[in-house]
Each structure stands twice: as C-alpha cells, then as structure tokens.
Amino acid sequence: PNHLNSLINSKHLQKIPEAFKNSQPGSLLKTAIMGKTADQKAIIDTLKQEGKTQKEISERIGCSQSAVSRHLSGKSVGRKKCGKKRCTTRRGDLTLRKIVEKDRFQTLGDLRKQWTESGVETSRATVHRRPLLNQKQRQKRLTWATEKQHWTVAQCKNVAWSDESRFLLRHSDGRVRIWRKQNENMDPSCLVTTVQAGGGGVMVWGMFSWHTLGPLVPIGHRLKATAYLSIVSDHVHPFMTTMYPSSDGYFQQDNAPCHKARIISNWFLEHDNEFTVLKWPPQSPDLNPIEHLWDVVERELRALDVHPTNLHQLQDAILSIWANISKECFQHLVESMPRRIKAVLKAKGGQTQY
C-alpha cells in the first residue's frame, strides 16, 4: 500500500517494485490505479513529460495503450455512451412548452417554426413527441413495455382490443384540436367559443381480437360509466367467454375516466375468474391496434361514391364498413404488437411511429 500511495507523487515513481512494474493487465497494480482515475491521469502526464512512450507508460501503470492514447489526445478514457444523442436539451423542451401555452391552437408546422426561431433546429416528429408525454407517463410506458417485451404473437392473440372513436358527418363540426395535458381540459387557454351549426358525428365503441371482429356499438355524444357498464355486460362479457372459454383471455381498455369508474372496476372484479383486464399504460394509442381500424373506417367513408347526408346514414355506413374489414387486416395488426413493444423500448417510453 505504501508503494501504491507513493505513485501520486512523481518523484517516487521510480520506487515502484519490479513486481509491480512488470505486472500484467488485471493485476493488483491495475486494479488499484484504475480505481483512481485522477491519479492514473496524473501518472500518465508525468511519464509523458519524462519522455516515455505510450507503450512504456501503458506497461508501467498496467493499462491498455489505447487508454493512454485517448487520454493524451484529450478524449475520454471512459466508455462511450450508446444510442443516438438527444437532439434537444431540457431547456429547449421548456421553451417549446412555453410556445405551446401561448397558443394551444397552433399547427405542428407553426410550433416547429417558432421553436426553430428560438434556436432549436429539429424535425416535426420531435415537436410532436415533446408536449404529449411527461416523464411519469414515459416511465409507465417503458415499464409496461419492459414487462411485455417477451410477449409472442401467440400471447397477443389472447387479447381483445377495444376503444371508442368519433366519425364526422362533414370534415369539421366545429371541434378544434389543441395541445394540452390530460388534466388541462378546463383550462381557459384550452377552450374556444362555438356557434350552433349543422353536421355533427357518430360515436362508436368497438372491440376485436386476432380471431374475429367484435361488436361495434353506437353510443351517445359522451360515454359515461353507466352506459359503459351496459356495454361491458352486454358485449364484452359474451365475447370474452365465447372466444376464450379457458379463461385465458385479456381484455384491453384505455384509462378513460368511464373505464376506471368504481362500478366498472367492481364488475371486472366479480368476473376476474373468466378473463383478465389488461393493465394499460397512459397516453398509449400507438400500442392499441384498434386505432388503425378506425383509420380504415375513416378512409372507407371518404372513399364512398355517395356520401352520407345525415347521422342515420353515417351510422349505417360505419357499421357496414366495420363488418367488411378483412380478416387479414386485423390479424396483421395484432401480429404487429411485438414490434410495437420493441419500438416503445427503443424510444425509452416515448412516442413511436405507430
């Protein structure tokens, strides 16, 4: 130990015993010095000033010649970080948040332009990802994906996916998309006045699994817990018991307030011996394959030769399109789940391309 401590002082460098001088990588000398990075750097600098070569220095202190070379060239001796470097800083993200809060109704292009003018050069995709997920939500998504990272397609076939969606009679019925967090729905900056106008839309609830399309149920303007309880008992329960008679099925639903109501939780608890409710991470439409089925319905509606002129015709068209979605289409979506989970892991809980 006395000899090792003397290494810090350059005038005692020559006092290193021959056994230590000739030590190989992995020896006691290397272990002691590599644990003291600052001391090791000081020794390398001193030996270099004395005219020693990189090879002689590496042999003297028991480390690799490349480590000596990196230190002398000013590069870090430590291991390089893996993965793509984050393109924005926390300060830059805070700037974007302030831009969003000034005007919630800006388009993605407007946000990117203002953010670029503030000195942050980035893509539209990065702008889209930043405001939507906070750190807590990202962590929950990452935790969920980590737990499910070994799920196979066969396991995904045991899941029944569900969600609600709204389809408009016209391109717009006065609704405006804004940038906001989940708890900011009544913030004055997130509200806009409207005028009475025609149009409107049809809201539906649907479910499906790899095996078959499930029911598509028209619902009111807003789904409440009591109405959702009727859907669960009249549609979810018979679907799950029929498709998964061995009680090995999972029912997926998102974290909408009506889904988390006490009467709904109690109902699922009473039937937990028949199927399991799949725990779902927040803000994760990219993980739910039914979102792509809504997109299919929307595209088919726009492609109709004769467009619906009232809500009754719109509802009939939606039900017809849903019933004719091909088996290959929804099975392919379920089979994409392992890739979706890997995408969330790669994004460290952030938004994905799905």
Side-chain angles (χ1 to χ4, degrees):
N2 292 334
H3 289 294
L4 293 175
N5 291 334
S6 68
L7 293 177
I8 302 174
N9 193 330
S10 60
K11 66 180 181 180
H12 294 303
L13 284 173
Q14 301 303 323
K15 295 183 179 180
I16 302 175
E18 291 299 325
F20 288 118
K21 289 182 180 181
N22 299 326
S23 60
Q24 299 297 320
S27 66
L28 175 62
L29 179 62
K30 180 184 177 183
T31 303
I33 294 179
M34 290 300 285
K36 300 179 181 295
T37 306
D39 298 344
Q40 184 189 28
K41 291 179 179 179
I43 296 171
I44 293 175
D45 292 337
T46 301
L47 292 175
K48 183 63 177 178
Q49 292 174 4
E50 294 179 357
K52 303 296 184 182
T53 65
Q54 293 182 6
K55 183 178 180 180
E56 291 172 337
I57 295 173
S58 65
E59 292 175 349
R60 178 70 66 87
I61 66 174
C63 71
S64 67
Q65 187 174 340
S66 60
V68 175
S69 175
R70 283 196 298 269
H71 170 68
L72 294 176
S73 64
K75 298 180 179 179
S76 173
V77 179
R79 180 183 175 185
K80 295 182 179 180
K81 293 183 178 181
C82 299
K84 184 179 180 180
K85 183 179 179 182
R86 199 173 191 271
C87 60
T88 62
T89 63
R90 294 190 182 276
R91 184 182 294 273
D93 293 347
L94 181 60
T95 300
L96 177 61
R97 184 174 301 175
K98 291 180 179 179
I99 294 173
V100 170
E101 291 174 353
K102 287 181 180 178
D103 184 2
R104 305 278 187 164
F105 306 97
Q106 300 177 79
T107 65
L108 192 60
D110 292 337
L111 291 176
R112 179 176 180 267
K113 181 180 179 181
Q114 292 188 56
W115 205 18
T116 301
E117 291 174 351
S118 70
V120 182
E121 185 65 36
T122 186
S123 65
R124 289 168 59 93
T126 300
V127 178
H128 186 267
R129 286 193 300 267
R130 290 298 186 265
L132 297 182
L133 295 173
N134 58 40
Q135 186 58 38
K136 187 176 181 180
Q137 292 168 341
R138 290 173 65 99
Q139 185 57 50
K140 287 184 177 181
R141 281 167 53 87
L142 182 60
T143 299
W144 186 91
T146 302
E147 293 172 353
K148 303 293 187 295
Q149 62 179 318
H150 300 301
W151 264 30
T152 62
V153 172
Q155 289 172 295
C156 295
K157 291 179 180 180
N158 287 342
V159 180
W161 312 91
S162 72
D163 194 20
E164 301 86 25
S165 186
R166 190 166 185 269
F167 299 93
L168 304 179
L169 184 62
R170 302 195 178 104
H171 181 66
S172 173
D173 64 350
R175 288 198 169 193
V176 181
R177 291 186 178 273
I178 63 170
W179 300 91
R180 70 170 178 85
K181 294 182 179 179
Q182 191 171 9
N183 61 346
E184 294 179 330
N185 56 317
M186 297 305 296
D187 190 292
S189 65
C190 299
L191 302 177
V192 62
T193 58
T194 59
V195 295
Q196 191 69 26
V202 173
M203 194 170 184
V204 295
W205 173 92
M207 69 181 297
F208 82 104
S209 72
W210 184 88
H211 305 283
T212 185
L213 285 174
L216 190 69
V217 183
I219 54 181
H221 179 71
R222 189 171 184 177
L223 184 60
K224 297 183 178 181
T226 52
Y228 187 59
L229 181 60
S230 298
I231 291 176
V232 169
S233 59
D234 296 342
H235 299 285
V236 174
H237 185 246
F239 183 91
M240 296 301 295
T241 53
T242 301
M243 300 307 302
Y244 307 103
S246 301
S247 303
D248 57 348
Y250 290 87
F251 173 67
Q252 180 275 335
Q253 61 176 5
D254 62 22
N255 299 301
C258 63
H259 299 168
K260 295 298 182 179
R262 181 172 297 180
I263 57 173
I264 303 300
S265 300
N266 290 340
W267 190 95
F268 282 131
L269 190 61
E270 293 173 1
H271 296 80
D272 62 354
N273 61 323
E274 296 175 294
F275 60 90
T276 303
V277 177
L278 182 65
K279 184 178 179 181
W280 197 247
Q283 299 294 321
S284 300
D286 54 339
L287 284 170
N288 192 349
I290 201 173
E291 295 289 346
H292 293 264
L293 291 187
W294 299 142
D295 187 55
V296 170
V297 175
E298 182 68 38
R299 291 200 308 269
E300 291 295 326
L301 281 174
R302 293 182 181 275
L304 290 175
D305 294 331
V306 180
H307 294 275
T309 58
N310 55 57
L311 296 183
H312 181 73
Q313 291 179 0
L314 176 62
Q315 178 176 305
D316 289 344
I318 294 171
L319 294 174
S320 176
I321 293 171
W322 175 267
N324 287 284
I325 294 177
S326 68
K327 193 172 185 179
E328 291 77 11
C329 176
F330 61 78
Q331 286 186 346
H332 174 73
L333 292 176
V334 174
E335 291 164 0
S336 72
M337 280 306 300
R339 298 193 297 273
R340 294 170 187 256
I341 294 172
K342 289 180 181 179
V344 174
L345 291 173
K346 185 177 181 180
K348 298 181 180 179
Q351 295 283 353
T352 68
Q353 62 179 351
Y354 295 96

